[in-house]
């Protein structure tokens, strides 16, 4: 395994970089769209909740490999030509948006309704209430499950090789086929995945401590 890492680290790092770009892009976009979808899921209007719930059910209830293939082959059929990496980011974004929306919806449900009612009585608009009162608390409450979702997306990104994206898993397959050392190669890839996931977990724990400390001093 060490030999594989030393001899092929430039290619492995390039594949890991692609993995991180795709995964973190999807997570960042999913944070925005997931929050918007969560507001839709908690809307008092049924005509808003229903399509949001349908979207969430589809993307949470179908395999991510199937979603990748559908997006990759559907877009050209409707006249939209995109690069494989773009299709990968789009698919992972659509997928994580559904999962993050459920995380955020749970966080919103834990916010005391009295805070929202008090903001309404003070004349604060619905958007300002969400931006200043709801969203900061939701992020604090949901940081641990959000971290799990980030790690899940990072691991699921190994599937994007099926649409010809040269990320870490595809690079590992190429190295294994050239060196005839599949066990050592995939162990090296596992070490890289694990290192990134552990780093993300440490960053999340640090942020959680800072947020908890900030709440304690307020």
């Amino acid at each position: 395994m060490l030999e594989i890492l030393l001899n092929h680290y430039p290619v492995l790092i390039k594949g890991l970089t692609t993995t991180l770009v795709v995964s973190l892009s999807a997570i960042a976009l999913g944070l925005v769209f997931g929050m918007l979808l969560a507001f839709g899921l908690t809307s008092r209007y049924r005509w808003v909740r229903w399509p949001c719930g349908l979207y969430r059910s589809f993307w949470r209830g179908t395999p991510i490999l199937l979603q990748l293939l559908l997006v990759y082959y559907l877009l050209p059929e409707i006249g939209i030509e995109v690069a494989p990496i773009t299709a990968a980011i789009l698919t992972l974004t659509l997928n994580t948006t559904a999962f993050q929306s459920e995380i955020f919806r749970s966080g919103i449900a834990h916010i005391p309704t009295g805070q929202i009612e008090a903001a309404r009585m003070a004349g604060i608009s619905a958007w300002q209430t969400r931006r200043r009162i709801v969203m900061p608390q939701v992020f604090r409450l949901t940081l641990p499950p959000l971290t799990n979702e980030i790690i899940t997306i990072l691991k699921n990104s190994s599937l994007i090789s099926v649409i010809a994206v040269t990320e870490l898993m595809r690079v590992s397959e190429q190295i294994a086929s050239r060196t005839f050392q599949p066990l050592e190669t995939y162990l090296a890839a596992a070490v890289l995945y694990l290192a990134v996931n552990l780093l993300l977990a440490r960053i999340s724990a640090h942020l959680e401590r800072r947020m908890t400390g900030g709440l304690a001093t307020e």
Side-chain angles (χ1 to χ4, degrees):
M1 182 190 71
L2 183 59
E3 179 184 355
I4 293 293
L5 283 171
L6 292 175
N7 293 339
H8 301 278
Y9 76 88
V11 181
L12 288 169
I13 293 301
K14 184 177 180 180
L16 179 61
T17 300
T18 301
T19 292
L20 291 174
V21 167
V22 171
S23 302
L24 297 181
S25 296
I27 286 295
L29 292 169
L31 284 171
V32 177
F33 296 124
M35 184 63 77
L36 293 174
L37 185 61
F39 287 139
L41 291 168
T42 56
S43 171
R44 65 176 181 267
Y45 301 110
R46 186 177 179 182
W47 61 270
V48 175
R49 294 195 310 270
W50 188 82
C52 290
L54 186 63
Y55 174 95
R56 179 191 57 185
S57 297
F58 175 81
W59 291 98
R60 281 166 53 93
T62 53
I64 195 167
L65 181 59
L66 175 63
Q67 296 169 8
L68 282 163
L69 294 172
L70 283 175
V71 171
Y72 184 66
Y73 289 110
L74 176 63
L75 291 179
E77 289 294 324
I78 59 176
I80 302 175
E81 297 291 338
V82 296
I85 191 171
T86 304
I89 292 173
L90 176 59
T91 304
L92 292 183
T93 298
L94 294 171
N95 176 273
T96 193
T97 292
F99 283 90
Q100 289 190 54
S101 71
E102 186 60 23
I103 293 171
F104 291 142
R105 186 201 63 78
S106 176
I108 292 171
H110 283 83
I111 296 177
T113 55
Q115 294 185 16
I116 298 174
E117 292 173 358
R120 187 180 299 117
M121 292 176 63
I124 302 175
S125 68
W127 165 243
Q128 290 295 328
T129 299
R130 289 171 176 171
R131 187 173 69 86
R132 295 181 177 181
I133 299 174
V134 175
M135 291 172 62
Q137 294 186 73
V138 166
F139 281 118
R140 288 171 178 168
L141 291 168
T142 61
L143 185 58
L146 276 179
T147 302
N148 291 336
E149 174 61 14
I150 293 171
I151 292 173
T152 297
I153 286 295
L154 185 69
K155 292 188 292 186
N156 285 341
S157 69
S158 63
L159 296 172
I160 66 177
S161 60
V162 75
I163 58 172
V165 178
T166 310
E167 43 67 69
L168 181 56
M169 194 63 198
R170 188 173 181 86
V171 166
S172 301
E173 292 170 353
Q174 294 170 347
I175 293 173
S177 66
R178 290 198 305 267
T179 62
F180 302 102
Q181 294 179 293
L183 179 59
E184 294 85 349
T185 302
Y186 293 130
L187 280 174
V191 167
L192 292 174
Y193 277 115
L194 182 60
V196 172
N197 285 335
L198 289 175
L199 177 61
L200 290 172
R202 290 292 297 273
I203 293 172
S204 173
H206 175 70
L207 290 175
E208 189 174 2
R209 284 195 300 270
R210 289 197 63 177
M211 288 182 176
T212 304
L215 285 174
T217 57
E218 289 178 358

